[in-house]
């Protein structure tokens, strides 16, 4: 992999914990990555975000490093976590970020005829992973898990905090059923676009996509996911490995008026990681049209679902709900910060708040002095 992986000071005991001695843990090497990818693809809680290829592309463009911590039973991978690491003046930390919505636990798809045995197995795997994370010298650890992960008792018992988050997941394996679940006005707008000769493309036109991405975030006063050159590097690295699709809706003259970047790999669930639209054409229904055409394309390729990424209470989430998806609850796990990290981050937060307050005071004083 091209991205650097900085050494994190660890003091992890590799001996199995006595009461769970069928499981061991270790950080994977590159020789293990193909096996890990097959495991992630088969796991209901897995996603492209947990694969080394995706983490490498993100690190190459956005900085940081990654490790894969795995829990094994013999030679079999039973669970694990893709750890995206970053550094601050106060230490190394693990967290998700823009373009990394999930960074949480991946557990094996192990089902027996006795549910209590499956629960016991999952608890042992999570306990082993939690023990290893506790031994790592991270200043902060935040893990955002996909919705199949709901039983977090080993982490809660160790003092971690869990809070709910939400997303919409659209099932795309039965398009006729999906169309019947979509809001009626969206279906009308999709038909309008088709009658107005709006077309659908799957291409590499990054410049059109980024133009709308930049305009969208300027309108909403939100940060860019990455600066242009870094975003292009991220996109091109993923596209070269067939790990994403850049879908666009175009006028009959060929102008791109909506775009969305979808992540896809061997896992049956795809992820819409970024979407943007040209404000001039929002009223003709270009966005629902593009979403629908993307669902069609992904379904034809054999995928089962598309995660629309996040469902905070806002107008965009209302639109996502109208697409016919299911609202799913996910959980974010946070370990108590190390003392040095907590103190340092608090001091930095106070510093920037003070700068902001001083700036407002100077601006206010300037207004009054000019009167």
């Amino acid at each position: 992999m091209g991205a650097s992986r900085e050494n994190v000071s660890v003091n992890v005991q590799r001996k199995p914990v006595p009461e769970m001695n069928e499981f061991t843990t270790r950080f994977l090497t590159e020789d293990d990555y193909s096996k890990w990818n097959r495991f992630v693809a088969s796991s209901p809680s897995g996603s492209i975000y947990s694969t080394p290829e995706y983490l490498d592309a993100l690190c190459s463009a956005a900085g940081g490093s990654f490790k894969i911590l795995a829990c094994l039973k013999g030679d079999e991978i039973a669970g694990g976590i893709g750890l995206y690491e970053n550094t601050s003046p106060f230490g190394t930390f693990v967290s998700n970020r823009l373009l990394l919505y999930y960074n949480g636990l991946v557990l094996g798809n192990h089902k027996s005829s006795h549910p209590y045995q499956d629960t016991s197995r999952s608890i042992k795997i999570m306990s082993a992973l939690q023990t290893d994370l506790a031994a790592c010298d991270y200043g902060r650890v935040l893990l955002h898990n996909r919705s199949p992960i709901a039983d977090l008792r080993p982490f809660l018992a160790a003092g971690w905090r869990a809070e709910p988050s939400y997303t919409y997941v659209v099932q795309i394996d039965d398009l006729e059923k999906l169309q019947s679940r979509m809001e009626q006005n969206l279906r009308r707008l999709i038909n309008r676009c088709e009658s107005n000769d709006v077309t659908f493309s799957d291409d590499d036109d990054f410049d059109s996509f980024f133009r709308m991405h930049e305009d969208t975030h300027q309108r909403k006063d939100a940060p860019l996911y990455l600066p242009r050159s870094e975003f292009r590097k991220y996109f091109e690295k993923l596209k070269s490995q067939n790990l994403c699709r850049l879908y666009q809706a175009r006028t009959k003259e060929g102008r791109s008026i909506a775009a969305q970047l979808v992540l896809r790999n061997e896992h049956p669930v795809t992820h819409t990681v970024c979407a943007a639209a040209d404000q001039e054409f929002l009223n003709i229904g270009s966005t629902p049209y593009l979403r629908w055409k993307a669902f069609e394309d992904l379904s034809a390729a054999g995928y089962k679902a598309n995660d629309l990424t996040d469902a905070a209470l806002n107008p965009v989430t209302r639109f996502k709900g109208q697409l016919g998806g299911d609202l799913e609850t996910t959980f974010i796990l946070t370990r108590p910060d190390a003392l040095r990290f907590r103190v340092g981050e608090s001091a930095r937060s106070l510093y920037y708040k003070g700068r902001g307050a001083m700036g407002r005071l100077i601006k206010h004083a300037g207004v009054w002095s000019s009167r």
Side-chain angles (χ1 to χ4, degrees):
M1 293 297 169
S4 63
R5 287 182 282 279
E6 301 170 4
N7 290 325
V8 176
S9 175
V10 297
N11 182 21
V12 179
Q13 297 296 323
R14 296 306 173 199
K15 294 181 180 179
V17 179
E19 65 269 24
M20 55 184 73
N21 56 16
E22 69 264 42
F23 293 104
T24 58
T25 55
R26 66 178 174 89
F27 288 109
L28 300 182
T29 67
E30 290 191 20
D31 292 339
D32 302 309
Y33 285 170
S34 59
K35 186 176 182 179
W36 169 255
N37 283 345
R38 290 192 296 272
F39 169 76
V40 170
S42 68
S43 169
S45 54
S47 75
I48 187 174
Y49 295 114
S50 296
T51 63
E53 291 79 9
Y54 184 80
L55 291 168
D56 178 64
L58 182 63
C59 290
S60 296
S65 58
F66 74 90
K67 291 183 175 71
I68 309 291
L69 175 62
C71 180
L72 302 98
K73 184 175 183 180
D75 292 331
E76 172 198 0
I77 297 177
I81 315 171
L83 298 168
Y84 174 69
E85 304 169 340
N86 242 312
T87 58
S88 83
F90 318 112
T92 302
F93 64 95
V94 169
S95 180
N96 62 351
R97 52 152 291 148
L98 295 172
L99 301 177
L100 185 66
Y101 189 63
Y102 299 112
N103 71 326
L105 301 163
V106 183
L107 300 182
N109 188 19
H110 184 271
K111 296 294 181 183
S112 71
S113 57
H114 303 289
Y116 80 91
Q117 292 180 342
D118 300 332
T119 300
S120 175
R121 177 186 172 94
S122 295
I123 287 175
K124 290 177 181 179
I125 294 167
M126 286 189 285
S127 296
L129 291 170
Q130 193 285 135
T131 299
D132 261 24
L133 286 173
C136 294
D137 191 25
Y138 290 127
R140 170 177 293 168
V141 181
L142 181 152
L143 304 175
H144 189 178
N145 303 285
R146 289 196 60 233
S147 59
I149 303 290
D151 183 359
L152 300 167
R153 287 174 292 170
F155 286 86
L156 299 177
W160 292 57
R161 185 178 73 253
E163 61 177 299
S165 184
Y166 302 91
T167 189
Y168 274 104
V169 177
V170 180
Q171 301 301 315
I172 59 176
D173 51 347
D174 185 340
L175 292 177
E176 185 175 345
K177 180 179 179 180
L178 173 59
Q179 193 172 49
S180 70
R181 288 167 57 102
M182 292 180 68
E183 198 269 335
Q184 183 177 358
N185 187 53
L186 293 194
R187 298 200 300 268
R188 179 183 63 81
L189 290 172
I190 293 167
N191 293 333
R192 178 198 287 180
C193 279
E194 291 177 335
S195 64
N196 287 338
D197 297 324
V198 175
T199 59
F200 169 77
S201 69
D202 172 7
D203 55 49
D204 298 339
D205 184 5
F206 176 83
D207 290 331
S208 292
F209 160 73
F210 193 84
R211 167 182 60 82
M212 291 181 286
H213 171 64
E214 194 171 41
D215 289 347
T216 298
H217 283 267
Q218 285 176 351
R219 291 199 313 269
K220 297 181 178 181
D221 193 28
L224 289 173
Y225 286 13
L226 285 172
R228 179 187 293 270
S229 61
E230 287 83 355
F231 209 145
R232 183 188 295 277
K233 182 177 181 180
Y234 160 86
F235 165 70
E236 290 178 348
K237 192 157 190 173
L238 291 176
K239 191 64 186 286
S240 69
Q241 300 174 83
N242 196 29
L243 295 177
C244 71
R245 284 290 185 271
L246 181 55
Y247 297 123
Q248 309 210 38
R250 298 180 179 275
T251 65
K252 59 184 177 181
E253 294 80 20
R255 177 179 175 181
S256 179
I257 56 177
Q260 66 181 88
L261 184 62
V262 177
L263 306 177
R264 45 173 267 178
N265 64 342
E266 298 303 314
H267 198 279
V269 179
T270 61
H271 299 262
T272 298
V273 70
C274 186
D278 191 319
Q279 189 176 22
E280 182 181 345
F281 294 90
L282 288 175
N283 61 344
I284 71 168
S286 58
T287 297
Y289 167 81
L290 180 60
R291 297 279 184 154
W292 174 252
K293 300 303 287 186
F295 294 155
E296 286 184 330
D297 187 75
L298 294 167
S299 179
Y303 290 100
K304 303 299 183 184
N306 179 247
D307 190 324
L308 300 180
T309 307
D310 193 43
L313 291 176
N314 56 42
V316 174
T317 293
R318 181 174 180 272
F319 164 71
K320 290 177 181 179
Q322 293 172 335
L323 290 169
D326 297 307
L327 184 66
E328 294 190 355
T329 304
T330 65
F331 286 95
I332 298 172
L333 279 169
T334 308
R335 192 183 75 180
D337 290 350
L339 179 60
R340 70 182 188 285
F341 198 91
R342 183 169 67 250
V343 172
E345 286 295 314
S346 296
R348 181 160 65 175
S349 177
L350 288 172
Y351 169 73
Y352 282 112
K353 284 181 180 179
R355 283 187 58 183
M358 182 60 70
R360 290 190 296 272
L361 183 62
I362 292 172
K363 183 178 179 181
H364 185 69
V367 169
W368 278 102
S369 65
S370 63
R371 291 184 177 183

